[in-house]
Amino acid sequence: MRVEFDRHSLRVDKRRVIVRAGSLQYFRLPARELWRDRIAQMKDAGLNAVDVYYPWNFHSERAGEYDFSELRDIEHLHDLIEAAGLWLIARPGPYICAEVDLGGLPAYLLRDPSLVLRCRRPAGFAYSGAYMAAVREWFGAVVPRIASRANLLLFQIENEYSVPAHLAALSSPLADLLIRWLGSKRLTRLASSPWLLRRSLAAAESSDADAELGQRNTYMRELYELARRFGVRVPIFHNDVAALSGRQLDVDMLAIDRYPITSFDRDWRSRPATFDDFKVDESALDAHGRAGNPVFYPELQAGWYDGWGGVGYAQLRERLGADAIDATTKAALAARGTLWNYYVFSGGTTFGYLASPDVYSSYDYGAPIGETGATDARYDAVRNLNAFLAEHEADLAETDLDADERSSCAQHFCTRVGRANRYVFLRNPTQERVELSLSEPERAWLAPWETQIRVYDGRTRALVGVSPELPVLGSVARALPPLLPRLESWRFSSASPQLAQAFDDASWRALPACALDENRIDLDALGLHYGCVWYRGTFEGRLDRLVLDARHLWSVWIDAALVASGAQLRNTLGVGADGARARNVDLRRAGLRETGRHVVVILVESLGHNKGFADDFRNPRGIVALDTGASRVSWRFRGGLLRGEQGLTPRVDFAGVERGAASEVVLPHGWQGAPEGVGLYESSFRLEGIDPKRHALALGFDPGQGRANLYLNGWLIGRSWPERGPQRRFWLPWGMLSPDDENQLAVTVWKSAKRASLGKLRLECV
């Protein structure tokens, strides 16, 4: 397949095409059986390409080791895409962002303090030979598996890269203080403000007023050369985050991401300028000396992510509406866009500890295809528009702006001229229906916030087509759900025997005194990187003091009694400084004796490393600083909330989990006092003839108290934080569900206050 391009579009084997792709994140679809289903849905929506991120950390949790089997079998994924007759757009990073831990980089890279991730510090470019050696190894493992595909259309290097980072200021000590004072909500508004972005860009440009408008550097050139060396023969591109300056020039094609709706504090329909940023995208290419590039949107908004304490995806999906994705796509077309990828087109689950701290387990994204595979009017809007575009593709792929045409009516936005037809874009940026003063009667009105494309014969000026009306979200007749088993019988036990003085921690690793003295006891320094870590210390007599900086969630027990708990998620953006601080733990509640041996246990859970958008990768997780004064404490540690739990996407063998005495309970169930630490609820069920391929199943949670993890057949597939919310329903994907055998459910509840509880749980069809 020969792929070429000019200023209008791609040409595939000399045929002009409009590339209509959608992102499919296989690492968020935790069953290979789901990939084929989602690809079929994407093709049915009229897409002609599938866009794929490849997270380095998902394939390599330990240095020098790579896994491309089972849930990581990308060659099987490629086979499915090719069999469906769709093109592949490949994006192997090495950095991908995507709201995953460390932006997809493996956390073992953090163990080398001299290594500069992405060859960039907050101050600017810094070539790192150690980092590039690791990148060469990753590209050597993944790129040949991509380059050999016959349907490979485009290849991306890096992701939204600029020097310095656009939001580098958020990593500064001043930002750290502001986050503590202002909190995450105000920080979010500040960080997303156009003013801050303009200031960041101005700072980058001020260093050399005569410099080239775009950017060139050794890092991007080396990535480009590596891709070619490993067999990539198609155009190589990079996606920039700002159109007007600082774009990466060491690629074949420049491209720009567009997310016109990122704030939901008020209705986007009340802002007439919502889609105005698209207007600069043609001229921005010219300004960067790339007049021969087509307008390409590798990330065209198809939804938005939600985080801890957010509104939930049901509300987010409703607030976006079908009109948002329709208007976004037509704004891209009006700007000469002939290549775009909907990010994301298919939602999923960020299972295990794969998430960055700005997202919870569900990554439904409000996408046209939701987390469970369900579709709605947003999907229908894309499918209807794609049918219209397919009809006019050959002509619409090669148009120029008619800058001289007089407005056909007050709503006239622009006209694009093809070889055969004229395409008049009409926009109604109001919340009221508008009648059009046109000579022809067909569709002579615009719905609220509709962008309509009217197609006129270029010679006769007769109307030959109108873009379809927006679908209306209505009630869908659904078959009666099957009778699902009731989750009534639960075994409850303690999963924290390590709190007891008599516990034998000889199998745990010792914390060296030098590590304690230098505060090198965080997750990365210990080589654990993901999830939870237990610290267990023994001391004699009273404890002088306990000053603790732990991130993100933590609890302290002394002699098996809860002394203090806290949460350090001040920055819910996952970008910039943490805004964390050391906490002086009040030891009066411990009631320590003057003499005798005592045990102090600290549990810390990381909600993920920042995604590195502001070069903030090295924000530590776990215990960052620990001060016990003059008291000498002998410390040991173990990774994993439960024994045997390890890695980025753990699967726990519950046969080996330590438990206390078990009792039978009925939900809802709560308890005070013992057991302290982590309580474990276990149950099982059979589907009894229910086909999980036909019915999407989920586990519904009633409100409880205490941080909870959900395990299905050993897989950690959900993390609940009821005090913060909002997720209360967790998808149980087929592939992990067994239709024939017993399915094992386990829920851990972290008792971080006087009382903990687990609300009623039920299986649901969704």
Side-chain angles (χ1 to χ4, degrees):
M1 185 172 74
R2 184 177 180 84
V3 183
E4 302 167 299
F5 64 89
D6 60 17
R7 69 183 301 270
H8 291 110
S9 72
L10 285 191
R11 290 195 302 271
V12 179
D13 293 334
K14 299 185 178 181
R15 178 175 64 89
R16 286 199 181 275
V17 297
I18 296 178
V19 176
R20 308 179 296 281
S23 283
L24 175 75
Q25 299 188 345
Y26 63 96
F27 49 93
R28 283 189 163 113
L29 292 171
R32 293 195 340 166
E33 294 91 335
L34 294 165
W35 301 348
R36 186 192 305 272
D37 178 65
R38 298 298 187 268
I39 290 168
Q41 288 178 287
M42 294 171 78
K43 183 172 184 178
D44 186 59
L47 303 185
N48 54 18
V50 177
D51 174 274
V52 180
Y53 268 142
Y54 304 81
W56 183 358
N57 56 3
F58 188 60
H59 292 278
S60 179
E61 292 192 32
R62 288 172 291 277
E65 297 181 14
Y66 293 90
D67 183 359
F68 292 97
S69 64
E70 297 181 347
L71 298 181
R72 296 164 172 80
D73 187 353
I74 61 173
E75 291 180 290
H76 178 66
L77 175 69
H78 294 159
D79 288 343
L80 294 174
I81 295 170
E82 188 171 353
L86 301 175
W87 292 312
L88 170 66
I89 299 175
R91 307 169 77 184
Y95 171 83
I96 66 169
C97 188
E99 287 73 58
V100 298
D101 187 279
L102 220 63
L105 301 179
Y108 60 72
L109 297 177
L110 296 173
R111 302 196 70 182
D112 181 353
S114 68
L115 187 150
V116 182
L117 299 176
R118 302 181 79 190
C119 293
R120 191 179 71 180
R121 302 184 189 275
F125 185 75
Y127 184 83
S128 172
Y131 173 66
M132 290 310 301
V135 168
R136 283 191 288 274
E137 187 179 274
W138 163 239
F139 265 36
V142 71
V143 174
R145 301 171 191 269
I146 297 168
S148 62
R149 307 308 302 196
N151 62 330
L152 180 62
L153 185 73
L154 296 166
F155 186 94
Q156 177 179 308
I157 54 174
E158 249 290 339
N159 187 79
E160 298 175 336
Y161 189 79
S162 65
V163 181
H166 296 294
L167 299 177
L170 291 180
S171 293
S172 68
L174 175 59
D176 197 39
L177 287 173
L178 289 173
I179 293 165
R180 294 186 202 180
W181 294 338
L182 299 176
S184 60
K185 290 186 178 179
R186 291 182 182 177
L187 173 70
T188 301
R189 288 194 290 269
L190 174 66
S192 59
S193 70
W195 174 84
L196 182 64
L197 189 56
R198 286 195 298 269
R199 285 291 301 270
S200 299
L201 292 174
E205 296 165 8
S206 63
S207 58
D208 187 352
D210 298 323
E212 191 174 29
L213 188 60
Q215 296 186 348
R216 299 180 185 275
N217 58 68
T218 310
Y219 174 46
M220 293 296 287
R221 283 197 297 274
E222 191 164 335
L223 290 179
Y224 183 95
E225 291 164 1
L226 280 173
R228 292 296 185 212
R229 187 187 312 165
F230 287 120
V232 174
R233 297 291 175 261
V234 298
I236 295 175
F237 71 95
H238 174 264
N239 62 325
D240 295 296
V241 72
L244 296 174
S245 61
R247 300 179 71 168
Q248 299 305 308
L249 301 179
D250 294 309
V251 289
D252 302 315
M253 291 173 57
L254 274 60
I256 187 73
D257 292 348
R258 279 285 175 232
Y259 292 93
I261 307 166
T262 59
S263 176
F264 298 92
D265 54 347
R266 61 191 179 103
D267 191 346
W268 63 267
R269 298 167 188 84
S270 66
R271 299 190 290 263
T274 296
F275 302 98
D276 281 2
D277 285 349
F278 286 88
K279 293 179 180 179
V280 305
D281 292 341
E282 284 188 272
S283 58
L285 286 173
D286 297 341
H288 280 80
R290 292 301 182 93
N293 274 201
V295 176
F296 179 16
Y297 299 102
E299 294 183 24
L300 188 66
Q301 184 172 21
W304 193 243
Y305 63 88
D306 194 38
W308 299 108
V311 299
Y313 283 113
Q315 285 194 47
L316 191 148
R317 181 183 295 277
E318 182 179 343
R319 292 179 187 183
L320 283 168
D323 46 352
I325 196 166
D326 185 76
T328 298
T329 310
K330 289 171 181 173
L333 280 163
R336 188 164 49 85
T338 56
L339 300 87
W340 62 82
N341 165 57
Y342 290 113
Y343 188 92
V344 292
F345 199 79
S346 175
T349 301
T350 314
F351 69 110
Y353 296 111
L354 186 59
S356 55
D358 47 335
V359 294
Y360 44 84
S361 297
S362 175
Y363 199 73
D364 177 90
Y365 209 78
I369 303 173
E371 178 182 22
T372 65
T375 62
D376 60 13
R378 291 169 54 71
Y379 177 89
D380 294 337
V382 172
R383 181 169 56 185
N384 294 348
L385 181 57
N386 276 334
F388 168 80
L389 296 179
E391 183 180 350
H392 299 282
E393 180 173 17
D395 191 51
L396 194 52
E398 187 180 3
T399 66
D400 289 296
L401 188 66
D402 187 343
D404 299 325
E405 187 191 47
R406 298 177 62 184
S407 298
S408 57
C409 64
Q411 287 71 37
H412 184 273
F413 181 69
C414 74
T415 296
R416 302 206 66 89
V417 182
R419 291 181 178 272
N421 298 320
R422 302 174 68 84
Y423 302 88
V424 177
F425 290 76
L426 307 177
R427 177 178 293 173
N428 172 22
T430 75
Q431 300 186 60
E432 304 293 333
R433 173 171 162 147
V434 172
E435 302 298 325
L436 299 172
S437 54
L438 299 173
S439 57
E440 62 275 355
E442 293 89 346
R443 288 284 319 280
W445 50 270
L446 292 174
W449 256 110
E450 181 184 3
T451 300
Q452 186 186 101
I453 307 174
R454 302 181 77 83
V455 186
Y456 296 89
D457 184 277
R459 182 176 58 83
T460 66
R461 301 298 176 100
L463 183 69
V464 296
V466 182
S467 57
E469 296 181 45
L470 284 173
V472 178
L473 181 61
S475 59
V476 179
R478 300 180 64 178
L480 288 175
L483 187 62
L484 297 173
R486 300 178 67 178
L487 304 174
E488 294 184 331
S489 176
W490 291 86
R491 294 184 309 280
F492 174 66
S493 58
S494 168
S496 304
Q498 56 267 34
L499 301 185
Q501 281 202 4
F503 178 78
D504 182 3
D505 60 9
S507 63
W508 293 28
R509 292 164 58 191
L511 276 177
C514 59
L516 283 164
D517 293 341
E518 299 171 12
N519 277 324
R520 292 185 291 105
I521 57 174
D522 58 272
L523 275 165
D524 297 310
L526 300 177
L528 299 175
H529 304 304
Y530 310 113
C532 296
V533 57
W534 293 88
Y535 303 83
R536 190 174 190 273
T538 57
F539 61 96
E540 298 290 332
R542 289 192 175 274
L543 194 61
D544 188 33
R545 62 174 175 264
L546 182 58
V547 182
L548 178 70
D549 178 356
R551 309 176 193 180
H552 292 97
L553 288 81
W554 57 272
S555 287
V556 176
W557 297 269
I558 296 180
D559 294 340
L562 181 65
V563 176
S565 293
Q568 289 264 49
L569 184 62
R570 294 284 295 166
N571 181 354
T572 57
L573 279 176
V575 177
D578 286 337
R581 63 183 178 86
R583 166 84 176 271
N584 192 348
V585 176
D586 186 353
L587 297 175
R588 290 174 295 182
R589 296 177 59 187
L592 292 172
R593 304 183 306 276
E594 292 285 351
T595 59
R597 178 179 179 272
H598 302 281
V599 173
V600 55
V601 178
I602 305 173
L603 170 62
V604 185
E605 179 182 6
S606 165
L607 296 176
H609 295 90
N610 281 9
K611 55 191 178 186
F613 205 66
D615 296 320
D616 48 2
F617 296 107
R618 294 189 180 273
N619 290 12
R621 301 292 179 249
I623 293 183
V624 178
L626 179 65
D627 178 10
T628 56
S631 299
R632 299 185 62 181
V633 182
S634 176
W635 291 97
R636 304 181 77 83
F637 72 93
R638 188 206 76 192
L641 182 66
L642 303 171
R643 190 171 73 175
E645 178 181 288
Q646 60 183 347
L648 189 62
T649 56
R651 188 176 188 183
V652 177
D653 179 4
F654 277 85
V657 170
E658 300 161 304
R659 299 173 179 80
S663 59
E664 299 296 319
V665 299
V666 176
L667 301 183
H669 174 260
W671 79 99
Q672 289 182 294
E676 294 284 9
V678 176
L680 175 61
Y681 294 85
E682 296 174 276
S683 187
S684 62
F685 64 91
R686 285 183 176 271
L687 292 179
E688 297 295 343
I690 299 168
D691 185 355
K693 296 181 181 181
R694 294 183 53 222
H695 302 283
L697 302 182
L699 190 65
F701 276 62
D702 283 348
Q705 184 177 351
R707 190 87 164 92
N709 280 3
L710 165 66
Y711 301 83
L712 171 64
N713 293 324
W715 292 102
L716 173 55
I717 64 170
R719 303 162 79 186
S720 172
W721 189 0
E723 291 81 4
R724 187 69 67 97
Q727 188 173 3
R728 287 172 51 187
R729 176 184 281 172
F730 294 83
W731 178 42
L732 306 178
W734 52 275
M736 287 188 169
L737 274 173
S738 171
D740 304 313
D741 300 324
E742 195 91 358
N743 289 280
Q744 303 295 326
L745 273 179
V747 181
T748 57
V749 177
W750 176 348
K751 184 175 176 288
S752 56
K754 288 184 178 180
R755 177 179 172 81
S757 64
L758 181 62
K760 194 169 182 63
L761 275 65
R762 61 196 163 272
L763 293 175
E764 300 174 343
C765 272
V766 292

